[in-house]
DNA sequence: AGCACGCCGACT
DNA sequence: GTCGGCGTGCTC
């Protein structure tokens, strides 16, 4: 008799442990750790992951596993182990860690069905229920839960008139297609063809098709349409065992109808050559090393990636490439598919659940060797990993902002160590954390200081918008920028205008009394949405009408402040009426494929100006772009975020890199209200090193990363006093438990003190070495487990948070 | 989490 | 005397 330890799909403190089950006889040899199963759990059935298979169990009254969902484990031994690590490092539930590693399609869906036990009993049951069973024997719980009191159903269930069935369903199935293939050899087939009479015309055609065809099998649909015959005649042949019918899995391929221009490795320049040598060495020596490839925009990092991967493939190994969601553009995909063709799987949020699942299946079945994808692609179930690349290493989207709050960079280092393979972090503006590690030789620094073909970085001009205002220019464009735009228009060159929306919202304010309209449930101002003429809250979704007069003073001078891309577009057209503008923001790119369409349009020169938000900051490479304008450089600087300067520097550098990437020289105009700020100044001079030094000093002064590690505990509750008092208790507990060198700040109200009618307090922990931190924080959660479950208390823990909001 | 069980007040 | 409210505890 064999037993399985199972982690069940119930994300809760009390169920966050293994439960043992008996493995039924027929699956004794089949069940392996890492497989998904369906198990009875209390009165219901849930999905679970087998973590161990063993010969005994300490528990006595064991139940049987109900169903086995996988033929091969979907979690490799490595991923199972990684699950333990994730659970410990991010303080999440084991089940959440497992689910984060798999495509959403593999998460179970639960259904509750009420089934009538015998038709003859229909008259016995509650009159209320009878009409529902008039035509059918089964009802979906969802359809009746609001129609009939639950007690009625429970009573009938107790009387054995009804049965409640708990079903576990898969979100997405494999896409199956019916295939027809030949079941006999060519000679037999020919004999059979000759034996057919003239009446069997269609059958003859079908057999003839297979006789002259190279392929042994063909999708049913295709066969029918090619020969214009009916399914009946095929069925006849299947019945006679000449043909055979089978279901086969097919992939939903999002790139099916696209062809990729095959590319060959480019000649590397001296710098690239110097950078790739240690990488190839590490591959050769099967050595785990982390490389920080610090390469200015346009220095040809991607070509180094491609040639490194080529080496890895030649060694018979696999590679993972992470790219930020936002720059996972077709341009980027093309570069990888162009070089490695069908060996590449692509994983990003633009794909449907089914498409993502299919790409993942290609990885699982080892049909691809390279994965290009966003954050979660770091969990690709490769078993022979030879390299992990994280492009744009500094991007904050590599950190998941929900449980498990992991950073893909940390997972990459873990996996690199497991597989003893190199990890490459690439960026033009590395995070201070990574650059500091490179300075201490923890990471190996590879530098690409020049752009390929020695093109110079575009000249950057900083425009002081306060000065503009003083000279009477009240528009959002400086005279300088308008002149340059006009110039490009005249020359037929293109411009990119970047509107920094982060940290900036279009709030509504009364010009008479200064009243700002806020959300009723959150302490945050509402955002004006022109499209629906309404005010929305970004945190809870609350929506209300745009008022015609101020709710405070009844003044009619109430209007919205702030700038959306729509507004900017209108403003440009006032000054440059002949300009053709493409606008890119969440509104214009929400439809599938819209993003790509707009970029293609711009690339083909069908517009003069590309106007957009964050999403145009990186990856774009258009030869005709010679001007980049940043409308508001400093909106982020005012956020309560210790990384504000770093993010501003990164963004300005990235955006500047969009201009003059080809023959035509580029120019950049940065508009700002704080031109003297070092992040603006140094970005304009492309001086990363000086920025690094300056920012490091400030981080040191304030005990922020990379000098200290950071953890943030956020406590929320519907009552202010409760939230505050619990935070107070937690802070004093932490002060007792943690070392004296550790800095514990709080309790303080969160930067956003209330979200969805919940008051938020936080406590910040700054530490250098704190061996027991994870255990201590876990103790905190355990201590409040009761209140979390019953009293609507939420304690959120973020180890190494990206933002302090 | 989601469900059953059980204890208490309000009702036929 | 029963119905239904929610607090408590368990799920292999």
């Amino acid at each position: 008799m064999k037993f399985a330890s199972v982690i069940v799909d119930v994300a809760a403190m009390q169920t966050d442990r293994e439960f043992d089950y008996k493995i039924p006889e027929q699956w004794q040899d089949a069940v392996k750790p890492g497989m998904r199963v369906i198990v009875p759990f209390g009165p219901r059935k849930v999905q679970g992951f087998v973590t161990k298979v063993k010969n005994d169990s300490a528990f006595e009254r064991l139940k049987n596993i109900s169903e086995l969902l996988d033929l091969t484990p979907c979690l490799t031994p490595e991923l199972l182990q990684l699950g333990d690590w994730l659970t410990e490092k991010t303080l999440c539930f084991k089940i959440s860690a497992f689910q984060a590693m798999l495509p959403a399609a593999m998460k179970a869906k639960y259904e509750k069905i009420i089934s009538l036990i015998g038709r003859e009993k229909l008259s016995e049951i509650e009159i209320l229920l009878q009409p529902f069973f008039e035509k059918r024997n089964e009802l979906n719980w969802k359809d009746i839960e609001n129609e009939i009191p639950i007690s009625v159903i429970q009573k009938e269930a107790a009387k054995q008139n009804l049965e409640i069935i708990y079903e576990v369903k898969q979100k997405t199935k494999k896409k199956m297609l019916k295939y027809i293939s030949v079941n006999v050899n060519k000679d037999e087939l020919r004999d059979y063809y000759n034996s057919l009479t003239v009446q069997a015309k269609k059958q003859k055609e079908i057999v003839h098709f297979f006789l002259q065809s190279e392929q042994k099998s063909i999708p049913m649909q295709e066969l029918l349409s090619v020969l214009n015959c009916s399914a009946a005649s095929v069925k006849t042949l299947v019945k006679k065992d000449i043909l055979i019918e089978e279901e086969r899995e097919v992939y939903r391929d999002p790139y099916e109808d696209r062809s990729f221009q095959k590319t060959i490795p480019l000649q590397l320049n001296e710098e690239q050559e110097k950078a790739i040598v240690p990488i190839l060495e590490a591959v050769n020596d099967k050595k785990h090393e982390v490389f920080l490839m610090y390469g200015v925009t346009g220095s040809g990092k991607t070509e180094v990636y491609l040639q490194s991967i080529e080496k890895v493939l030649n060694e018979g190994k696999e590679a993972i490439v992470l790219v930020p969601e936002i720059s996972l553009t077709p341009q980027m995909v093309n570069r990888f598919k162009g070089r490695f063709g069908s060996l590449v799987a692509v994983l990003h949020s633009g794909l449907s659940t089914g498409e993502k699942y299919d790409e993942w299946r290609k990885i699982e079945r080892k049909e691809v060797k390279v994965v290009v994808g966003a954050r979660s692609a770091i969990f690709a179930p490769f078993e022979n990993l030879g390299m992990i690349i994280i492009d744009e290493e500094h991007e904050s989207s590599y950190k998941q902002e929900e449980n498990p709050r992991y950073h893909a960079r940390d997972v990459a280092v873990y996996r690199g160590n497991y597989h003893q393979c190199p990890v490459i972090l690439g960026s033009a503006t590395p995070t201070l954390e990574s650059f500091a590690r490179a300075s201490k030789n923890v990471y190996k620094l590879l530098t690409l200081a020049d752009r390929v073909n020695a093109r110079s970085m575009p000249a950057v001009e900083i425009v002081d918008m306060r000065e503009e205002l003083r000279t009477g220019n009240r528009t959002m464009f400086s005279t300088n920028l308008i002149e340059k735009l006009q110039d490009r228009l005249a020359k037929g060159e293109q411009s990119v205008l970047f509107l920094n929306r982060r940290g900036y919202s279009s709030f509504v304010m009364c010009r008479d009394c200064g009243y700002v309209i806020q959300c009723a449930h959150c302490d945050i101002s509402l955002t004006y949405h022109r499209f629906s003429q309404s005010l929305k809250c970004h945190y809870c979704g609350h929506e209300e009408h745009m008022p015609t007069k101020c709710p405070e003073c009844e003044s009619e001078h109430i209007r919205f402040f702030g700038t959306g891309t729509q507004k900017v577009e209108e403003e440009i057209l006032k000054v440059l009426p002949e300009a053709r503008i493409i606008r890119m923001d969440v509104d214009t790119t929400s439809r599938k494929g819209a993003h790509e369409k707009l970029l293609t349009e711009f690339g083909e020169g069908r517009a003069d100006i590309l106007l957009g938000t964050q999403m145009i900051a990186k990856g774009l490479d258009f030869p005709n772009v010679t001007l980049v304008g940043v409308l508001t450089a400093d909106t982020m600087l005012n956020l309560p975020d210790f990384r504000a300067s770093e993010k501003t520097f990164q963004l300005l550098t990235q955006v500047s890199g969009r201009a003059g990437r080809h023959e035509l020289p580029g120019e950049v105009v940065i508009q700002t209200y704080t031109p003297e700020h070092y992040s603006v100044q140094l970005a304009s001079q492309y001086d990363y090193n000086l920025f690094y030094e300056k920012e490091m000093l400030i981080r040191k002064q304030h005990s922020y990363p990379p000098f200290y590690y950071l953890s943030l505990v956020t406590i929320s509750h519907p009552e202010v006093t409760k939230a505050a008092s619990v935070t107070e208790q937690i802070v004093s507990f932490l002060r007792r438990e943690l070392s004296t060198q550790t800095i514990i700040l709080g309790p303080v109200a969160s930067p956003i003190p209330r979200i969805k009618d919940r008051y938020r307090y936080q406590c910040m922990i700054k530490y250098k070495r704190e061996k027991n931190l994870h255990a201590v924080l876990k103790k905190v959660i355990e201590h409040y487990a009761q209140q979390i479950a019953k009293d609507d208390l939420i304690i959120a823990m973020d180890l190494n948070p990206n933002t302090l909001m």
Side-chain angles (χ1 to χ4, degrees), chain A residues 17 19 92 169 362 397-398 519 539 638-639 733:
Chain A
R17 59 186 178 88
F19 288 86
C92 69
K169 295 200 164 170
K362 286 186 203 165
S397 65
Y398 287 128
C519 176
Y539 286 87
N638 306 313
L639 289 176
F733 176 76

Side-chain angles (χ1 to χ4, degrees), chain A residues 133-151:
Chain A
F133 289 106
E134 200 68 5
K135 291 203 181 80
R136 39 221 244 75
N137 286 330
E138 287 187 343
L139 291 177
N140 219 317
W141 182 279
K142 275 225 169 103
D143 298 338
I144 54 146
E145 64 182 341
N146 298 320
E147 311 281 325
I148 298 165
I150 291 158
S151 58

Side-chain angles (χ1 to χ4, degrees), chain A residues 752-767:
Chain A
I752 303 168
R754 186 182 49 142
I755 293 180
K756 292 186 199 174
D757 286 321
R758 302 181 62 89
Y759 292 89
R760 308 166 76 239
Y761 272 78
Q762 62 185 32
C763 157
M764 202 198 290
I765 308 163
K766 294 176 175 177
Y767 60 101

Side-chain angles (χ1 to χ4, degrees), chain A residues 30 35 68-73:
Chain A
M35 285 183 175
L68 185 56
L69 293 175
D70 296 313
L71 287 171
T72 54

Side-chain angles (χ1 to χ4, degrees), chain A residues 448-518:
Chain A
L448 301 177
D450 299 319
R451 288 182 137 186
V452 285
N453 299 349
R455 266 174 234 119
S456 59
M457 297 299 285
V460 182
E461 205 169 327
I462 300 173
V463 177
D464 185 349
M465 289 306 275
R466 295 171 305 188
E467 202 55 46
E468 291 286 319
L469 207 64
R470 247 170 259 144
T471 58
N473 179 2
R474 306 188 66 185
T475 69
M476 56 185 92
F477 310 105
S478 56
T479 331
N480 198 325
L481 181 58
I482 289 295
E483 275 170 13
K484 293 210 156 86
L485 281 170
Q486 258 160 348
D487 173 61
R488 303 304 128 120
L489 224 51
K491 285 198 265 184
E493 294 172 5
Q494 290 176 301
S495 308
V496 170
L497 285 185
F498 176 75
L499 179 68
N500 190 2
R501 299 277 296 145
R502 199 171 290 155
Y504 201 71
S505 64
S506 30
F507 56 99
V508 174
M509 188 170 87
C510 170
R511 297 183 98 180
D512 281 335
C513 71
Y515 178 79
V516 175
I517 299 190
Q518 294 213 310

Side-chain angles (χ1 to χ4, degrees), chain A residues 698-714:
Chain A
I698 290 169
R699 299 285 180 91
K700 191 170 188 174
Q701 267 169 24
H702 299 285
S703 311
Y704 272 122
F707 294 95
Y708 277 80
Y709 289 108
L710 216 59
S711 285
L712 188 69
V713 183
T714 305

Side-chain angles (χ1 to χ4, degrees), chain A residues 501 505-508 525-529 534-538:
Chain A
R501 299 277 296 145
S505 64
S506 30
F507 56 99
V508 174
S525 51
L526 292 175
T527 309
Y528 176 67
H529 282 248
S534 65
L535 297 169
K536 268 186 204 160
C537 173
H538 276 182

